[in-house]
Amino acid sequence: MTGDDAIDLAINSKYYTELPISIYRISNEINFAQKIGDNPYRYFETVEFKWHVTKEIKIVNGVKCIKATTEKWGRNWVAYYSPKHPVPYGPYKFYGLPGLIFEIYDDKNEYTFKLYRFKNRRANNFMLFNYPKAKKVTKKQYNIIRHNYAIEPETDISLEGVPDIQKK
């Protein structure tokens, strides 16, 4: 593994997500892109996890997994990963365990991610939702834009009133 998701996934991954977002990592920097309405946006965020691996075992979708915990974004997270699938990836922005994360949830059960199936890639382009023309914004700006769109989805999304938009 090189630590660059774009390279590692292209070389090693047989699987992809069906979510219409692009999240990939280079070292500990996350590149997140998603369309809001008709407009794609992109932000970068530094994310590091301090995992605590336990000896607890759980079967997740027929796969023997090991429990690990971490604290991030004001939440305590419980993850189950499989060392028999030796890639350090997981759902959303989670990574860094010595195996694929099959399940992760917060201790309040407000967020749960669970791998429910594997699917072979049909193409060599693993970046199905890359959004190369996405507008670069900060994470805070992205959240404001997403919030405004959730309140009034019929309205044309404008960057006016959202401070410090970075020019692409």
Side-chain angles (χ1 to χ4, degrees):
M1 297 292 171
T2 67
D4 180 333
D5 280 356
I7 294 170
D8 292 343
L9 283 170
I11 294 170
N12 301 311
S13 181
K14 295 186 275 185
Y15 312 105
Y16 69 91
T17 181
E18 294 175 349
L19 296 174
I21 57 177
S22 170
I23 301 175
Y24 68 89
R25 174 183 60 88
I26 297 175
S27 188
N28 63 347
E29 183 177 68
I30 300 287
N31 177 335
F32 180 96
Q34 182 176 23
K35 265 187 159 180
I36 300 175
D38 292 330
N39 302 306
Y41 297 93
R42 175 181 313 282
Y43 69 83
F44 297 89
E45 171 182 30
T46 300
V47 178
E48 293 184 52
F49 295 99
K50 290 184 170 76
W51 291 104
H52 304 284
V53 176
T54 72
K55 294 182 180 186
E56 187 176 324
I57 303 293
K58 178 180 178 181
I59 304 299
V60 180
N61 289 337
V63 177
K64 184 177 175 182
C65 295
I66 299 171
K67 180 180 178 180
T69 60
T70 192
E71 186 179 330
K72 196 60 157 176
W73 303 299
R75 297 176 183 277
N76 296 311
W77 296 92
V78 177
Y80 289 92
Y81 72 94
S82 169
K84 293 198 180 218
H85 299 83
V87 292
Y89 308 123
Y92 192 54
K93 298 176 182 178
F94 295 99
Y95 71 92
L97 285 167
L100 183 64
I101 298 173
F102 276 66
E103 180 178 13
I104 187 164
Y105 55 88
D106 71 321
D107 63 353
K108 295 178 183 174
N109 286 314
E110 293 177 339
Y111 292 92
T112 300
F113 300 92
K114 191 170 184 179
L115 180 67
Y116 64 93
R117 73 175 177 200
F118 287 100
K119 188 173 185 180
N120 286 328
R121 294 187 299 162
R122 292 188 179 145
N124 290 331
N125 180 6
F126 68 94
M127 300 283 289
L128 298 177
F129 301 100
N130 189 15
Y131 307 118
K133 296 182 180 182
K135 293 179 179 83
K136 291 181 183 176
V137 296
T138 66
K139 183 177 180 181
K140 184 175 183 177
Q141 293 164 334
Y142 170 83
N143 287 332
I144 291 169
I145 294 164
R146 188 181 70 179
H147 174 78
N148 291 345
Y149 183 75
I151 291 171
E152 295 186 51
E154 309 295 319
T155 321
D156 206 15
I157 297 176
S158 169
L159 297 179
E160 288 183 35
V162 179
D164 301 317
I165 294 297
Q166 302 169 15
K167 301 286 185 213
K168 184 172 179 192

mmCIF file of all heavy atoms in Angstrom, residues 104-132:
data_model
loop_
_atom_site.group_PDB
_atom_site.id
_atom_site.type_symbol
_atom_site.label_atom_id
_atom_site.label_comp_id
_atom_site.label_asym_id
_atom_site.label_seq_id
_atom_site.Cartn_x
_atom_site.Cartn_y
_atom_site.Cartn_z
ATOM 1 N N ILE A 104 -19.364 -0.369 10.970
ATOM 2 C CA ILE A 104 -18.948 0.666 11.916
ATOM 3 C C ILE A 104 -20.182 1.456 12.322
ATOM 4 O O ILE A 104 -21.061 1.715 11.495
ATOM 5 C CB ILE A 104 -17.840 1.579 11.343
ATOM 6 C CG1 ILE A 104 -17.328 2.538 12.429
ATOM 7 C CG2 ILE A 104 -18.296 2.310 10.095
ATOM 8 C CD1 ILE A 104 -16.008 3.205 12.082
ATOM 9 N N TYR A 105 -20.251 1.789 13.596
ATOM 10 C CA TYR A 105 -21.378 2.565 14.111
ATOM 11 C C TYR A 105 -20.926 3.387 15.299
ATOM 12 O O TYR A 105 -19.904 3.080 15.926
ATOM 13 C CB TYR A 105 -22.556 1.651 14.493
ATOM 14 C CG TYR A 105 -22.200 0.562 15.478
ATOM 15 C CD1 TYR A 105 -22.269 0.799 16.853
ATOM 16 C CD2 TYR A 105 -21.802 -0.699 15.035
ATOM 17 C CE1 TYR A 105 -21.942 -0.209 17.757
ATOM 18 C CE2 TYR A 105 -21.480 -1.699 15.936
ATOM 19 C CZ TYR A 105 -21.550 -1.446 17.288
ATOM 20 O OH TYR A 105 -21.220 -2.436 18.190
ATOM 21 N N ASP A 106 -21.679 4.453 15.598
ATOM 22 C CA ASP A 106 -21.370 5.242 16.782
ATOM 23 C C ASP A 106 -22.084 4.626 17.974
ATOM 24 O O ASP A 106 -23.053 3.888 17.817
ATOM 25 C CB ASP A 106 -21.730 6.713 16.583
ATOM 26 C CG ASP A 106 -23.223 6.966 16.555
ATOM 27 O OD1 ASP A 106 -23.958 6.148 15.985
ATOM 28 O OD2 ASP A 106 -23.650 7.985 17.120
ATOM 29 N N ASP A 107 -21.585 4.929 19.166
ATOM 30 C CA ASP A 107 -22.132 4.272 20.362
ATOM 31 C C ASP A 107 -23.534 4.745 20.735
ATOM 32 O O ASP A 107 -24.171 4.173 21.602
ATOM 33 C CB ASP A 107 -21.173 4.408 21.551
ATOM 34 C CG ASP A 107 -20.935 5.841 21.987
ATOM 35 O OD1 ASP A 107 -21.392 6.783 21.301
ATOM 36 O OD2 ASP A 107 -20.257 6.027 23.023
ATOM 37 N N LYS A 108 -24.048 5.774 20.064
ATOM 38 C CA LYS A 108 -25.433 6.202 20.286
ATOM 39 C C LYS A 108 -26.368 5.603 19.239
ATOM 40 O O LYS A 108 -27.562 5.878 19.235
ATOM 41 C CB LYS A 108 -25.522 7.724 20.241
ATOM 42 C CG LYS A 108 -24.770 8.396 21.369
ATOM 43 C CD LYS A 108 -24.840 9.898 21.243
ATOM 44 C CE LYS A 108 -24.008 10.543 22.342
ATOM 45 N NZ LYS A 108 -23.916 11.992 22.186
ATOM 46 N N ASN A 109 -25.814 4.823 18.327
ATOM 47 C CA ASN A 109 -26.562 4.204 17.225
ATOM 48 C C ASN A 109 -27.311 5.230 16.370
ATOM 49 O O ASN A 109 -28.405 4.971 15.881
ATOM 50 C CB ASN A 109 -27.533 3.132 17.743
ATOM 51 C CG ASN A 109 -26.785 1.888 18.153
ATOM 52 O OD1 ASN A 109 -25.923 1.417 17.425
ATOM 53 N ND2 ASN A 109 -27.095 1.375 19.327
ATOM 54 N N GLU A 110 -26.685 6.389 16.180
ATOM 55 C CA GLU A 110 -27.249 7.396 15.287
ATOM 56 C C GLU A 110 -26.723 7.215 13.863
ATOM 57 O O GLU A 110 -27.374 7.621 12.908
ATOM 58 C CB GLU A 110 -26.929 8.796 15.803
ATOM 59 C CG GLU A 110 -27.628 9.096 17.115
ATOM 60 C CD GLU A 110 -27.278 10.448 17.708
ATOM 61 O OE1 GLU A 110 -26.224 11.017 17.366
ATOM 62 O OE2 GLU A 110 -28.066 10.931 18.533
ATOM 63 N N TYR A 111 -25.530 6.643 13.735
ATOM 64 C CA TYR A 111 -24.929 6.367 12.427
ATOM 65 C C TYR A 111 -24.456 4.924 12.398
ATOM 66 O O TYR A 111 -23.781 4.464 13.319
ATOM 67 C CB TYR A 111 -23.730 7.281 12.163
ATOM 68 C CG TYR A 111 -24.096 8.719 11.976
ATOM 69 C CD1 TYR A 111 -24.111 9.598 13.055
ATOM 70 C CD2 TYR A 111 -24.438 9.205 10.717
ATOM 71 C CE1 TYR A 111 -24.454 10.932 12.886
ATOM 72 C CE2 TYR A 111 -24.782 10.538 10.544
ATOM 73 C CZ TYR A 111 -24.783 11.392 11.633
ATOM 74 O OH TYR A 111 -25.130 12.708 11.459
ATOM 75 N N THR A 112 -24.810 4.228 11.328
ATOM 76 C CA THR A 112 -24.364 2.849 11.133
ATOM 77 C C THR A 112 -24.016 2.655 9.669
ATOM 78 O O THR A 112 -24.778 3.045 8.788
ATOM 79 C CB THR A 112 -25.472 1.846 11.521
ATOM 80 O OG1 THR A 112 -25.805 2.025 12.898
ATOM 81 C CG2 THR A 112 -25.021 0.413 11.297
ATOM 82 N N PHE A 113 -22.858 2.076 9.425
ATOM 83 C CA PHE A 113 -22.445 1.693 8.077
ATOM 84 C C PHE A 113 -22.147 0.205 8.128
ATOM 85 O O PHE A 113 -21.435 -0.263 9.013
ATOM 86 C CB PHE A 113 -21.172 2.431 7.647
ATOM 87 C CG PHE A 113 -21.293 3.921 7.630
ATOM 88 C CD1 PHE A 113 -20.955 4.674 8.752
ATOM 89 C CD2 PHE A 113 -21.717 4.580 6.491
ATOM 90 C CE1 PHE A 113 -21.041 6.059 8.738
ATOM 91 C CE2 PHE A 113 -21.815 5.966 6.464
ATOM 92 C CZ PHE A 113 -21.477 6.703 7.593
ATOM 93 N N LYS A 114 -22.691 -0.540 7.170
ATOM 94 C CA LYS A 114 -22.460 -1.974 7.145
ATOM 95 C C LYS A 114 -22.263 -2.425 5.706
ATOM 96 O O LYS A 114 -23.055 -2.076 4.824
ATOM 97 C CB LYS A 114 -23.639 -2.717 7.774
ATOM 98 C CG LYS A 114 -23.375 -4.178 8.028
ATOM 99 C CD LYS A 114 -24.494 -4.775 8.858
ATOM 100 C CE LYS A 114 -24.210 -6.208 9.210
ATOM 101 N NZ LYS A 114 -25.264 -6.789 10.039
ATOM 102 N N LEU A 115 -21.214 -3.172 5.479
ATOM 103 C CA LEU A 115 -20.956 -3.730 4.157
ATOM 104 C C LEU A 115 -21.959 -4.851 3.934
ATOM 105 O O LEU A 115 -22.002 -5.816 4.695
ATOM 106 C CB LEU A 115 -19.531 -4.270 4.071
ATOM 107 C CG LEU A 115 -19.114 -4.872 2.750
ATOM 108 C CD1 LEU A 115 -19.056 -3.806 1.664
ATOM 109 C CD2 LEU A 115 -17.755 -5.536 2.898
ATOM 110 N N TYR A 116 -22.803 -4.697 2.939
ATOM 111 C CA TYR A 116 -23.828 -5.708 2.721
ATOM 112 C C TYR A 116 -23.562 -6.563 1.505
ATOM 113 O O TYR A 116 -24.181 -7.594 1.328
ATOM 114 C CB TYR A 116 -25.216 -5.077 2.655
ATOM 115 C CG TYR A 116 -25.446 -4.137 1.502
ATOM 116 C CD1 TYR A 116 -26.002 -4.588 0.312
ATOM 117 C CD2 TYR A 116 -25.107 -2.795 1.598
ATOM 118 C CE1 TYR A 116 -26.213 -3.727 -0.746
ATOM 119 C CE2 TYR A 116 -25.323 -1.928 0.540
ATOM 120 C CZ TYR A 116 -25.871 -2.400 -0.626
ATOM 121 O OH TYR A 116 -26.084 -1.551 -1.675
ATOM 122 N N ARG A 117 -22.631 -6.146 0.645
ATOM 123 C CA ARG A 117 -22.254 -7.004 -0.469
ATOM 124 C C ARG A 117 -20.979 -6.498 -1.117
ATOM 125 O O ARG A 117 -20.616 -5.335 -0.993
ATOM 126 C CB ARG A 117 -23.356 -7.087 -1.512
ATOM 127 C CG ARG A 117 -23.503 -5.820 -2.321
ATOM 128 C CD ARG A 117 -24.520 -5.967 -3.418
ATOM 129 N NE ARG A 117 -24.644 -4.677 -4.094
ATOM 130 C CZ ARG A 117 -25.658 -4.325 -4.817
ATOM 131 N NH1 ARG A 117 -26.660 -5.149 -4.982
ATOM 132 N NH2 ARG A 117 -25.693 -3.155 -5.396
ATOM 133 N N PHE A 118 -20.304 -7.392 -1.791
ATOM 134 C CA PHE A 118 -19.171 -7.051 -2.635
ATOM 135 C C PHE A 118 -19.663 -7.041 -4.066
ATOM 136 O O PHE A 118 -20.563 -7.802 -4.421
ATOM 137 C CB PHE A 118 -18.078 -8.126 -2.548
ATOM 138 C CG PHE A 118 -17.318 -8.120 -1.266
ATOM 139 C CD1 PHE A 118 -17.615 -9.020 -0.266
ATOM 140 C CD2 PHE A 118 -16.277 -7.234 -1.080
ATOM 141 C CE1 PHE A 118 -16.892 -9.044 0.899
ATOM 142 C CE2 PHE A 118 -15.549 -7.242 0.088
ATOM 143 C CZ PHE A 118 -15.854 -8.147 1.087
ATOM 144 N N LYS A 119 -19.078 -6.218 -4.873
ATOM 145 C CA LYS A 119 -19.463 -6.185 -6.270
ATOM 146 C C LYS A 119 -18.209 -5.915 -7.103
ATOM 147 O O LYS A 119 -17.489 -4.957 -6.836
ATOM 148 C CB LYS A 119 -20.509 -5.082 -6.498
ATOM 149 C CG LYS A 119 -21.126 -5.079 -7.864
ATOM 150 C CD LYS A 119 -22.265 -4.059 -7.915
ATOM 151 C CE LYS A 119 -22.969 -4.119 -9.241
ATOM 152 N NZ LYS A 119 -24.065 -3.137 -9.306
ATOM 153 N N ASN A 120 -17.975 -6.760 -8.088
ATOM 154 C CA ASN A 120 -16.817 -6.546 -8.946
ATOM 155 C C ASN A 120 -16.986 -5.281 -9.767
ATOM 156 O O ASN A 120 -18.085 -4.971 -10.230
ATOM 157 C CB ASN A 120 -16.612 -7.731 -9.898
ATOM 158 C CG ASN A 120 -16.054 -8.934 -9.186
ATOM 159 O OD1 ASN A 120 -15.296 -8.807 -8.235
ATOM 160 N ND2 ASN A 120 -16.435 -10.113 -9.633
ATOM 161 N N ARG A 121 -15.879 -4.589 -9.968
ATOM 162 C CA ARG A 121 -15.906 -3.414 -10.834
ATOM 163 C C ARG A 121 -16.071 -3.872 -12.269
ATOM 164 O O ARG A 121 -15.531 -4.889 -12.681
ATOM 165 C CB ARG A 121 -14.606 -2.626 -10.715
ATOM 166 C CG ARG A 121 -14.402 -2.007 -9.380
ATOM 167 C CD ARG A 121 -13.200 -1.113 -9.366
ATOM 168 N NE ARG A 121 -12.005 -1.889 -9.679
ATOM 169 C CZ ARG A 121 -10.865 -1.369 -10.081
ATOM 170 N NH1 ARG A 121 -10.757 -0.084 -10.248
ATOM 171 N NH2 ARG A 121 -9.841 -2.120 -10.327
ATOM 172 N N ARG A 122 -16.799 -3.092 -13.032
ATOM 173 C CA ARG A 122 -16.972 -3.413 -14.446
ATOM 174 C C ARG A 122 -15.989 -2.659 -15.320
ATOM 175 O O ARG A 122 -15.808 -2.970 -16.474
ATOM 176 C CB ARG A 122 -18.392 -3.071 -14.884
ATOM 177 C CG ARG A 122 -19.405 -3.971 -14.244
ATOM 178 C CD ARG A 122 -20.767 -3.760 -14.826
ATOM 179 N NE ARG A 122 -21.689 -4.666 -14.174
ATOM 180 C CZ ARG A 122 -22.932 -4.375 -13.916
ATOM 181 N NH1 ARG A 122 -23.436 -3.230 -14.281
ATOM 182 N NH2 ARG A 122 -23.696 -5.250 -13.304
ATOM 183 N N ALA A 123 -15.391 -1.622 -14.771
ATOM 184 C CA ALA A 123 -14.463 -0.805 -15.553
ATOM 185 C C ALA A 123 -13.219 -0.540 -14.726
ATOM 186 O O ALA A 123 -13.206 -0.732 -13.515
ATOM 187 C CB ALA A 123 -15.124 0.511 -15.936
ATOM 188 N N ASN A 124 -12.180 -0.083 -15.380
ATOM 189 C CA ASN A 124 -10.956 0.253 -14.675
ATOM 190 C C ASN A 124 -11.053 1.604 -13.978
ATOM 191 O O ASN A 124 -10.219 1.939 -13.167
ATOM 192 C CB ASN A 124 -9.773 0.269 -15.645
ATOM 193 C CG ASN A 124 -9.434 -1.126 -16.114
ATOM 194 O OD1 ASN A 124 -9.653 -2.096 -15.391
ATOM 195 N ND2 ASN A 124 -8.906 -1.241 -17.317
ATOM 196 N N ASN A 125 -12.062 2.388 -14.313
ATOM 197 C CA ASN A 125 -12.228 3.689 -13.688
ATOM 198 C C ASN A 125 -12.987 3.523 -12.383
ATOM 199 O O ASN A 125 -14.207 3.483 -12.367
ATOM 200 C CB ASN A 125 -12.967 4.653 -14.620
ATOM 201 C CG ASN A 125 -13.141 6.015 -13.999
ATOM 202 O OD1 ASN A 125 -12.625 6.284 -12.925
ATOM 203 N ND2 ASN A 125 -13.881 6.876 -14.670
ATOM 204 N N PHE A 126 -12.258 3.450 -11.273
ATOM 205 C CA PHE A 126 -12.897 3.250 -9.987
ATOM 206 C C PHE A 126 -13.518 4.537 -9.460
ATOM 207 O O PHE A 126 -14.301 4.512 -8.542
ATOM 208 C CB PHE A 126 -11.902 2.705 -8.959
ATOM 209 C CG PHE A 126 -10.844 3.692 -8.577
ATOM 210 C CD1 PHE A 126 -11.007 4.494 -7.475
ATOM 211 C CD2 PHE A 126 -9.701 3.830 -9.331
ATOM 212 C CE1 PHE A 126 -10.050 5.411 -7.122
ATOM 213 C CE2 PHE A 126 -8.737 4.736 -8.996
ATOM 214 C CZ PHE A 126 -8.911 5.540 -7.881
ATOM 215 N N MET A 127 -13.161 5.681 -10.022
ATOM 216 C CA MET A 127 -13.692 6.966 -9.575
ATOM 217 C C MET A 127 -14.974 7.272 -10.347
ATOM 218 O O MET A 127 -15.015 8.121 -11.226
ATOM 219 C CB MET A 127 -12.659 8.077 -9.781
ATOM 220 C CG MET A 127 -11.360 7.858 -9.032
ATOM 221 S SD MET A 127 -11.493 8.225 -7.289
ATOM 222 C CE MET A 127 -11.632 9.973 -7.347
ATOM 223 N N LEU A 128 -16.040 6.561 -10.051
ATOM 224 C CA LEU A 128 -17.287 6.714 -10.782
ATOM 225 C C LEU A 128 -17.891 8.101 -10.627
ATOM 226 O O LEU A 128 -18.533 8.613 -11.521
ATOM 227 C CB LEU A 128 -18.288 5.661 -10.309
ATOM 228 C CG LEU A 128 -17.882 4.221 -10.541
ATOM 229 C CD1 LEU A 128 -18.932 3.288 -9.959
ATOM 230 C CD2 LEU A 128 -17.688 3.946 -12.010
ATOM 231 N N PHE A 129 -17.687 8.705 -9.471
ATOM 232 C CA PHE A 129 -18.240 10.022 -9.197
ATOM 233 C C PHE A 129 -17.086 10.958 -8.834
ATOM 234 O O PHE A 129 -16.965 11.402 -7.705
ATOM 235 C CB PHE A 129 -19.263 9.943 -8.059
ATOM 236 C CG PHE A 129 -20.399 9.015 -8.379
ATOM 237 C CD1 PHE A 129 -20.421 7.727 -7.862
ATOM 238 C CD2 PHE A 129 -21.420 9.418 -9.211
ATOM 239 C CE1 PHE A 129 -21.458 6.869 -8.164
ATOM 240 C CE2 PHE A 129 -22.460 8.562 -9.519
ATOM 241 C CZ PHE A 129 -22.484 7.286 -8.999
ATOM 242 N N ASN A 130 -16.239 11.258 -9.815
ATOM 243 C CA ASN A 130 -15.037 12.032 -9.557
ATOM 244 C C ASN A 130 -15.295 13.532 -9.506
ATOM 245 O O ASN A 130 -14.642 14.245 -8.776
ATOM 246 C CB ASN A 130 -13.993 11.719 -10.629
ATOM 247 C CG ASN A 130 -12.651 12.312 -10.298
ATOM 248 O OD1 ASN A 130 -12.392 12.715 -9.177
ATOM 249 N ND2 ASN A 130 -11.793 12.379 -11.280
ATOM 250 N N TYR A 131 -16.231 14.043 -10.282
ATOM 251 C CA TYR A 131 -16.566 15.457 -10.324
ATOM 252 C C TYR A 131 -15.341 16.339 -10.574
ATOM 253 O O TYR A 131 -14.966 17.160 -9.726
ATOM 254 C CB TYR A 131 -17.284 15.900 -9.042
ATOM 255 C CG TYR A 131 -18.486 15.068 -8.702
ATOM 256 C CD1 TYR A 131 -18.559 14.328 -7.534
ATOM 257 C CD2 TYR A 131 -19.571 15.017 -9.580
ATOM 258 C CE1 TYR A 131 -19.682 13.564 -7.232
ATOM 259 C CE2 TYR A 131 -20.697 14.255 -9.281
ATOM 260 C CZ TYR A 131 -20.737 13.536 -8.108
ATOM 261 O OH TYR A 131 -21.842 12.786 -7.815
ATOM 262 N N PRO A 132 -14.677 16.190 -11.727
ATOM 263 C CA PRO A 132 -13.448 16.953 -11.991
ATOM 264 C C PRO A 132 -13.662 18.468 -12.051
ATOM 265 O O PRO A 132 -12.718 19.221 -11.852
ATOM 266 C CB PRO A 132 -12.981 16.415 -13.341
ATOM 267 C CG PRO A 132 -14.194 15.851 -13.974
ATOM 268 C CD PRO A 132 -15.056 15.347 -12.850
#
